[in-house]
Amino acid sequence: MADMILKKSALADFIKSLSGSYKVFTPSREGQEVKFASNQGKVLLDFQNTLLSPKDFFFPQSERMFEYSTDPAAADAFILKDIATEPEPRLVFGIRPCDARAFVILDRIFKNDQYTDSYWFARREATTLIGLGCQNPCPTCFCLSVGGGPFSEEGLDVLACDLGETLLFKPLTEKGQQALDKAEGLAEADDKTSQEAARIKEQAEAAISSRISTDKIDEKTVMELYEAPHWEVVQERCLNCGVCTFVCPTCHCFDIQDEVAGKVGDRIRNWDTCMSWLFTQHGSGHNPRADKTSRVRQRFMHKFKYIPMKRGGDIGCVGCGRCIMLCPVNIDVRDVVRDMNA
């Protein structure tokens, strides 16, 4: 699979040519917010990252899973019917490498030795991801400290690099190569162009000055971390608002509810948050995380201790920095991890 190059002036035609085979999503700006949209207008390349994680491509904030009749006279009353449909082929252009790494982490969570989340994987398999290297990392980014990088290839089908007047495309999977084969305007890149992309990658990595260490967390026991005094300091500031979990690309808590209108019922999966007391409230009335300290501790222990213990050392954070930028009381995950690692 050879690296390919595209003139930026031909980017609109490139996207249009792909739209014949996929529903294509590209970054676009709406007011102050950058999000992925399926319009065929100008493709935004000059941005740092989207406000929200793109995990809702595969794990929607709210989705209907089953429907049923509540009419007692109906022969199929209260029998759940799966309403999942075959997802259409999609292509997401411009996704950041940190967010693509998050999908790999979630792949290992949504499929384990007991269960496979068919909703997640049906969308994953139908979607092709063309990443865009992160040449101007935010000051809150720390992807290099958690196993990633601004040009990480993990989870992507193609990685693109902005070279100024042109874009370099590096195919990484057969699915990515198939997408490039369908696109118009590409030409094979020469060695000099690939070398320039490698230089830009090194420059971007050097621009990330924010680093944390996690080596001592692995050495500490669960109870040693669990009973550490710094959790009381963190919880004093935390509002338990849940913003950090909703913008996080690896947070995946959900709740399933039945909603009934008239004689029709829907079983719906909605995002939830471990910051909410209701999330762990048992039917008996008991709540194992009834106080704020236990909920704050759970968020960080899950990402930096429990997931690494269960997933071969992989940290459940990709260092995108969204939670740092959006926390209303300026809780910085890097400071919390430094306390855990002290």
Side-chain angles (χ1 to χ4, degrees):
M1 294 186 286
D3 291 357
M4 305 298 287
I5 198 163
L6 176 77
K7 291 181 180 178
K8 279 188 179 176
S9 57
L11 181 56
D13 290 336
F14 171 85
I15 297 296
K16 187 177 180 180
S17 64
L18 289 169
S19 65
S21 303
Y22 309 91
K23 185 172 184 178
V24 180
F25 294 83
T26 61
S28 66
R29 193 181 299 280
E30 293 185 18
Q32 298 297 314
E33 183 179 348
V34 176
K35 59 173 63 175
F36 287 98
S38 60
N39 64 62
Q40 298 297 309
K42 183 180 178 182
V43 178
L44 182 67
L45 297 175
D46 183 18
F47 70 102
Q48 290 187 304
N49 208 348
T50 52
L51 178 67
L52 298 176
S53 153
K55 66 184 176 186
D56 63 344
F57 276 116
F58 312 111
F59 178 43
Q61 289 188 29
S62 183
E63 68 174 324
R64 293 173 67 234
M65 307 173 80
F66 300 95
E67 65 180 8
Y68 53 91
S69 170
T70 61
D71 183 355
D76 59 351
F78 301 104
I79 296 176
L80 295 175
K81 298 177 182 177
D82 189 349
I83 57 172
T85 56
E86 190 74 20
E88 62 182 325
R90 301 182 299 185
L91 185 145
V92 185
F93 173 90
I95 202 162
R96 291 303 188 193
C98 56
D99 289 330
R101 276 201 76 238
F103 299 150
V104 177
I105 292 171
L106 292 178
D107 283 345
R108 295 169 185 157
I109 290 173
F110 282 122
K111 184 175 184 178
N112 55 40
D113 55 357
Q114 291 182 294
Y115 304 105
T116 297
D117 190 310
S118 58
Y119 299 88
W120 169 271
F121 283 101
R123 296 187 181 103
R124 287 279 283 144
E125 290 167 6
T127 305
T128 302
L129 298 176
I130 297 182
L132 182 61
C134 188
Q135 295 177 215
N136 297 296
C138 300
T140 51
C141 293
F142 58 102
C143 55
L144 289 171
S145 300
V146 288
F151 280 76
S152 169
E153 299 174 357
E154 196 174 2
L156 291 169
D157 296 302
V158 178
L159 175 61
C161 177
D162 189 340
L163 300 176
E165 297 298 320
T166 57
L167 290 166
L168 179 76
F169 292 90
K170 180 180 181 181
L172 302 170
T173 66
E174 287 299 325
K175 193 159 65 169
Q177 183 63 60
Q178 290 170 9
L180 295 185
D181 289 344
K182 296 171 183 173
E184 295 179 0
L186 293 168
E188 192 163 333
D190 56 25
D191 290 342
K192 185 178 178 182
T193 305
S194 297
Q195 290 168 7
E196 174 63 7
R199 187 194 68 77
I200 290 173
K201 173 187 175 183
E202 291 179 5
Q203 192 175 48
E205 291 176 347
I208 298 178
S209 58
S210 179
R211 305 293 175 96
I212 57 172
S213 297
T214 59
D215 54 320
K216 295 179 182 175
I217 295 176
D218 182 53
E219 299 170 1
K220 294 183 180 182
T221 66
V222 169
M223 291 311 298
E224 188 178 357
L225 287 166
Y226 189 88
E227 295 173 345
H230 60 81
W231 299 120
E232 288 297 329
V233 178
V234 180
Q235 72 87 22
E236 286 179 356
R237 292 164 60 194
C238 181
L239 304 176
N240 271 181
C241 66
V243 165
C244 53
T245 62
F246 292 127
V247 301
C248 175
T250 63
C251 278
H252 53 277
C253 292
F254 61 83
D255 185 28
I256 294 179
Q257 301 176 340
D258 280 10
E259 296 186 3
V260 176
K263 295 182 178 180
V264 177
D266 289 328
R267 182 154 294 181
I268 298 174
R269 175 161 72 173
N270 299 307
W271 287 4
D272 207 336
T273 171
C274 59
M275 292 291 101
S276 167
W277 67 271
L278 188 58
F279 181 65
T280 46
Q281 179 77 28
H282 294 182
S284 65
H286 171 66
N287 193 331
R289 293 201 287 269
D291 60 89
K292 197 167 65 169
T293 301
S294 62
R295 294 193 288 274
V296 169
R297 177 174 54 209
Q298 167 64 20
R299 170 168 164 71
F300 296 102
M301 289 283 282
H302 191 203
K303 293 186 179 302
F304 294 95
K305 185 62 176 178
Y306 303 148
I307 289 180
M309 285 174 60
K310 294 181 178 180
R311 307 296 173 197
D314 288 347
I315 296 173
C317 169
V318 293
C320 70
R322 287 186 178 91
C323 61
I324 303 170
M325 290 190 289
L326 295 171
C327 176
V329 292
N330 298 320
I331 292 176
D332 190 326
V333 61
R334 297 168 296 186
D335 292 339
V336 177
V337 173
R338 289 184 185 109
D339 286 339
M340 295 175 72
N341 200 58

